[in-house]
Amino acid sequence: MFENRTINRLDRMLDAALTGDFRESDYDETKLSRLETKWKRFLTASSLSRDALTREKENVKSLVSDISHQTKTPMTNIRLYVSLLEELLLTETGMTRQEEALGMLKELTRQTEKLEFLIQSLTKMSRLESNIVEVRPEKQPILPLLSEVIDEAVAKAEQKRITIHNTYEGEACASFDFKWTKEAVGNVLDNAVKYSPAGSTVTISVTEYEMYLAVSIKDEGIGIREEEIPKIFGRFYRAEEVRQEEGVGIGLYLTREILKKEDGYVKVKSKPGEGAEFMIYLHKGR
């Protein structure tokens, strides 16, 4: 009988804790009462910790929003003045070292674009890590997403005479957030184009499994050494072989984090000199 009363009292304590209504009963010298007191202190500390975490999240959200907003106007102004200066240089006649000045402007434009990309990537990364934005998967067909990702990559691919070949025309569905998964798949495809030689082909295919839908992006690039594969998804990591290429080393990190939030994951198969194949696994859902 005593054991039943003890279990019932513990059960009521846990129920009250879960609903946030826990209150200490009259104190006595029993072990259960001392446990009740400790339980109250634990819940109070947990509540304070949760409140502090909420405040910290709001502070990060505000900081990220401020950085994004405050850098937008300066970057726009830099682009404007670069454009005006370029027009001025092109209309000048008899100017010495004109070509050199135009070359400097071109480099300034390139660095401005790189800075903009870095700011955007850091903003996305901060929002994901602090759960400021939520990834909301919903069941939908994969083909529209692949079509949009390819459309956005075509211009860069054409500059290098790279063919993006999508072999999939089916109607398979998976559970994913369209906007964020487009970012994840787009990052992988952008890398495939970036690190592939001119005139090569990037092949996209889809394989259905019982629980997952796998999107394969396979290139004919330089490949990845086995010891590098675990590192490429780290923040700001760039292998020695590709540091001459544009990039900041955030894309694959974002891809992995986005997929994790959708109950998905990414795998890589590669050998140096034989290209790389990234397999993006999206959960099919119910």
Side-chain angles (χ1 to χ4, degrees):
M1 182 68 70
F2 175 75
E3 287 184 0
N4 286 338
R5 287 201 304 270
T6 301
I7 291 172
N8 288 336
R9 187 172 174 186
L10 287 171
D11 187 54
R12 289 195 299 272
M13 286 167 59
L14 290 172
D15 284 341
L18 289 170
T19 59
D21 298 325
F22 181 82
R23 299 287 185 277
E24 266 186 274
S25 59
D26 292 337
Y27 181 78
D28 56 45
E29 292 299 325
T30 66
K31 290 182 179 180
L32 187 59
S33 188
R34 290 197 295 273
L35 175 64
E36 198 173 38
T37 301
K38 290 179 181 179
W39 186 239
K40 173 65 175 178
R41 290 204 301 267
F42 169 75
L43 290 176
T44 301
S46 297
S47 178
L48 291 172
S49 177
R50 185 170 59 251
D51 291 343
L53 189 62
T54 301
R55 287 195 301 272
E56 183 178 347
K57 180 178 176 181
E58 288 302 315
N59 289 338
V60 171
K61 183 177 180 180
S62 177
L63 177 62
V64 169
S65 179
D66 285 345
I67 291 173
S68 180
H69 177 73
Q70 295 296 334
T71 56
K72 193 171 292 183
T73 300
M75 298 305 294
T76 301
N77 287 339
I78 290 172
R79 282 182 170 275
L80 174 62
Y81 286 120
V82 166
S83 178
L84 292 173
L85 188 54
E86 184 178 24
E87 287 182 17
L88 181 62
L89 286 172
L90 289 172
T91 56
E92 284 291 320
T93 57
M95 178 182 175
T96 58
R97 304 176 70 183
Q98 185 183 44
E99 288 299 321
E100 185 180 350
L102 288 169
M104 291 178 183
L105 276 181
K106 185 177 180 180
E107 179 60 22
L108 181 57
T109 300
R110 191 176 70 85
Q111 293 299 328
T112 301
E113 291 171 350
K114 185 175 180 179
L115 184 57
E116 281 183 320
F117 177 77
L118 176 60
I119 292 169
Q120 290 169 6
S121 297
L122 289 172
T123 301
K124 291 173 187 174
M125 184 176 71
S126 298
R127 286 173 174 166
L128 275 173
E129 290 181 340
S130 57
N131 293 318
I132 291 172
V133 294
E134 291 184 22
V135 177
R136 295 188 176 91
E138 59 180 76
K139 196 156 188 177
Q140 54 193 306
I142 191 65
L143 191 56
L145 181 137
L146 295 180
S147 297
E148 286 200 21
V149 169
I150 292 168
D151 286 344
E152 292 188 3
V154 163
K156 186 179 290 187
E158 287 178 345
Q159 291 176 0
K160 295 178 68 175
R161 295 180 288 106
I162 290 174
T163 301
I164 300 176
H165 179 45
N166 179 21
T167 66
Y168 186 73
E169 293 294 336
E171 299 178 355
C173 294
S175 181
F176 58 91
D177 181 303
F178 193 96
K179 175 187 171 183
W180 283 103
T181 309
K182 179 182 169 184
E183 172 84 20
V185 178
N187 288 342
V188 176
L189 182 56
D190 182 71
N191 277 358
V193 171
K194 187 186 299 180
Y195 302 129
S196 291
S200 62
T201 299
V202 175
T203 304
I204 298 175
S205 60
V206 174
T207 304
E208 288 192 68
Y209 297 99
E210 185 176 351
M211 294 181 62
Y212 288 91
L213 191 72
V215 177
S216 164
I217 299 177
K218 189 174 184 180
D219 63 53
E220 299 173 353
I222 60 175
I224 307 167
R225 288 181 285 116
E226 186 176 354
E227 62 269 24
E228 296 283 347
I229 289 177
K231 303 175 184 177
I232 61 176
F233 295 100
R235 287 188 294 182
F236 305 111
Y237 181 79
R238 304 197 72 209
E240 193 68 38
E241 297 90 336
V242 299
R243 288 187 181 172
Q244 73 279 6
E245 299 284 349
E246 288 291 330
V248 292
I250 295 179
L252 290 179
Y253 172 78
L254 285 174
T255 292
R256 186 188 64 178
E257 292 303 302
I258 291 166
L259 294 174
K260 280 168 60 176
K261 289 179 179 292
E262 298 179 328
D263 197 20
Y265 60 99
V266 57
K267 293 175 65 177
V268 186
K269 292 192 294 184
S270 182
K271 290 182 180 179
E274 298 182 13
E277 180 180 17
F278 282 77
M279 300 288 291
I280 296 168
Y281 290 85
L282 303 174
H283 201 280
K284 284 186 172 181
R286 293 182 179 178

